[in-house]
Amino acid sequence: MDKLPLKGSLKDAQLEVVEEAGIVHQDGIILEIGRFKDLCAKYSSSNFAIQLIESDVVALPGFVDPHTHLCWAGSRANDYSLRLQGVSYAEIASQGGGIWDTVTKTRMASDKELGELLISRVSRQLKNGITTCEVKSGYALNPEGESRLLEIIGSVNRECPIDLVSTCLAAHIKPKDFEGSQEAYLQMLIEELLPKVKKSKLSRRIDIFVDEGAFGVPEAENYLLAAKRLGFDLVVHGEQFTSGGASLAVRVGAKSVDHLEMIATEAIALLAASEVVAVALPGASIGLGCAFAPARKLLDAGCCLAIGSDWNPGSAPMGDLLVQTAILGAFEKLSMAEQLSAITFRAAHALNLADRGILKKGYLADFIAFPGRNYKEILYQQGMLKPNLIWKRGRQVS
Ligand SMILES: [Zn+2]
């Protein structure tokens, strides 16, 4: 993925493939990439251990999933069944389903239970080649509960080899048990939660859901600007059902705006002229049976496009980033270079991480290898070919 631009469309011919390659790494950082034989000769006098992979493999940077909601308890299988039978979201919610069901079960679950659920999900991510994964809070919806979820994400991050990047999504929706307006709920978060998240270093990122049924643009802008003053990176869930989220993200200088299924041409131009990363979430389109974000148009306009799994219990229960990327790629006619960029260095950029997503000197030694000699097999098999070897910070974990 070296020497590729952060923004705009890409052709597969731009991918640099090193045949018979080797990777030299030390203390979790890549020192050099080149021909295996040349590297062996160069480093033979130093104390490097040599590991020869006998079978044919294609090595890539470890994948980065820039958008998930993995810290939850319970299941929404019944909601899914009802939705398939044409029952509306409002009706499902009134029958006790919807996000409130997840909030109730997550609040009731113990730290241990939530930690174990999160470990099982991030372990599956790592097995699928994801070496960095963003995880949002957002299923407690009160200051104490949201802090607890961020603490659990932090402790799983310390325990597991995968890197987890936590994001505070206390502004997911206004909870049923908060008495007051949307504005009052956000004001309470500004006063009672954000300073604590900052002080205890629970997260460096603040996200908000801007859409019908969640939060409106004016109150979201006020919330995001308050978070910005505290030094947080900003993220917006926007343009899933209604417009306004993308221009808001540009105005407040967010790192990314995620979803974009409904984004209009004018807003695409705004995004392309900005530094905001456009994050497509095909898993939510598949889960809800809705249109995909216009990824082709976004790239042609010159946007930086990343792809996230949005793995969550409600709208995106599949949780397979590579399968979803391949499906979006097929429907939106994305080159393999564009698809792979969207889940490596461009996804890392959405998380404000400049040290991963490329196999290059000075970058993290996060790399994964798929069986075969041709990298095109990976997306051709539409995500069903899985990596057989995985290194995280230079340590082989699979
Ligand atoms: Zn989401």
Side-chain angles (χ1 to χ4, degrees):
M1 314 311 298
D2 195 12
K3 302 186 190 102
L4 297 177
L6 260 177
K7 293 169 74 172
S9 56
L10 298 167
K11 293 273 180 262
D12 289 350
Q14 290 173 263
L15 290 173
E16 188 186 356
V17 179
V18 186
E19 303 270 357
E20 308 295 332
I23 301 172
V24 185
H25 57 92
Q26 189 174 37
D27 300 330
I29 306 290
I30 295 172
L31 291 185
E32 191 169 350
I33 295 188
R35 304 271 294 185
F36 184 76
K37 271 188 190 152
D38 302 341
L39 294 174
C40 284
K42 182 170 170 185
Y43 289 88
S44 62
S45 55
S46 32
N47 263 341
F48 281 85
I50 295 174
Q51 181 183 12
L52 173 66
I53 310 297
E54 304 258 5
S55 54
D56 289 336
V57 295
V58 179
L60 293 174
F63 295 143
V64 177
D65 189 339
H67 185 133
T68 80
H69 304 248
L70 292 183
C71 195
W72 87 84
S75 163
R76 302 253 289 278
N78 291 336
D79 288 13
Y80 190 72
S81 153
L82 289 171
R83 217 160 57 220
L84 294 178
Q85 296 170 83
V87 182
S88 73
Y89 184 83
E91 181 65 20
I92 291 170
S94 77
Q95 290 179 25
I99 187 173
W100 194 247
D101 178 48
T102 301
V103 170
T104 308
K105 296 204 167 93
T106 304
R107 282 179 178 180
M108 274 164 32
S110 67
D111 292 4
K112 185 167 177 282
E113 202 179 325
L114 284 171
E116 283 168 1
L117 287 164
L118 181 56
I119 287 170
S120 78
R121 293 175 191 132
V122 300
S123 303
R124 200 178 98 186
Q125 292 277 75
L126 186 61
K127 241 176 97 186
N128 287 340
I130 292 151
T131 48
T132 300
C133 179
E134 187 263 11
V135 183
K136 298 174 199 300
S137 66
Y139 293 120
L141 304 180
N142 54 43
E144 197 185 321
E146 289 291 314
S147 302
R148 179 172 84 110
L149 297 185
L150 292 170
E151 273 162 16
I152 291 167
I153 297 166
S155 74
V156 171
N157 179 46
R158 289 185 290 277
E159 198 177 316
C160 297
I162 189 170
D163 280 341
L164 301 182
V165 176
S166 68
T167 305
C168 176
L169 181 60
H172 202 170
I173 55 163
K174 179 177 76 98
K176 267 187 187 177
D177 57 354
F178 180 84
E179 286 180 20
S181 62
Q182 319 290 103
E183 291 88 341
Y185 176 66
L186 294 178
Q187 191 55 40
M188 182 275 291
L189 295 180
I190 290 171
E191 288 163 18
E192 296 178 28
L193 178 63
L194 300 194
K196 186 184 172 195
V197 173
K198 184 75 193 169
K199 187 161 172 264
S200 308
K201 295 195 170 81
L202 294 176
S203 177
R204 55 176 178 80
R205 295 159 46 84
I206 299 293
D207 194 349
I208 184 166
F209 212 117
V210 179
D211 226 315
E212 210 174 275
F215 297 97
V217 170
E219 67 243 32
E221 187 152 359
N222 182 48
Y223 180 69
L224 290 169
L225 290 175
K228 191 177 188 174
R229 284 193 289 274
L230 286 170
F232 287 106
D233 283 353
L234 309 179
V235 188
V236 176
H237 270 75
E239 315 269 345
Q240 186 180 15
F241 304 111
T242 55
S243 64
S247 52
L248 168 66
V250 172
R251 277 202 305 283
V252 300
K255 292 297 161 203
S256 71
V257 54
D258 305 24
H259 268 300
L260 305 173
E261 290 86 340
M262 294 302 290
I263 191 167
T265 311
E266 309 80 67
I268 292 178
L270 270 179
L271 265 191
S274 77
E275 296 305 310
V276 182
V277 179
V279 181
L281 304 171
S285 302
I286 296 166
L288 295 171
C290 295
F292 292 110
R296 180 72 268 148
K297 278 189 191 162
L298 287 160
L299 284 165
D300 287 344
C303 292
C304 176
L305 177 82
I307 301 174
S309 71
D310 197 21
W311 192 0
N312 76 70
S315 59
M318 180 205 283
D320 193 310
L321 181 63
L322 193 57
V323 168
Q324 293 165 3
T325 298
I327 292 172
L328 181 70
F331 278 86
E332 282 290 310
K333 300 284 179 287
L334 307 181
S335 71
M336 290 185 177
E338 288 166 339
Q339 294 180 50
L340 293 173
S341 297
I343 54 173
T344 55
F345 70 101
R346 287 177 171 181
H349 185 60
L351 297 177
N352 204 9
L353 297 171
D355 61 352
R356 65 197 75 193
I358 305 176
L359 294 184
K360 183 182 179 177
K361 182 184 175 182
Y363 278 60
L364 289 188
D366 290 0
F367 47 94
I368 58 181
F370 290 81
R373 287 191 72 84
N374 183 356
Y375 81 87
K376 291 176 182 161
E377 288 288 337
I378 299 166
L379 287 161
Y380 165 64
Q381 296 193 30
Q382 299 191 304
M384 295 314 286
L385 185 70
K386 301 297 182 190
N388 54 354
L389 300 165
I390 297 165
W391 287 262
K392 177 65 193 169
R393 293 178 188 261
R395 188 163 74 85
Q396 192 172 348
V397 293
S398 175

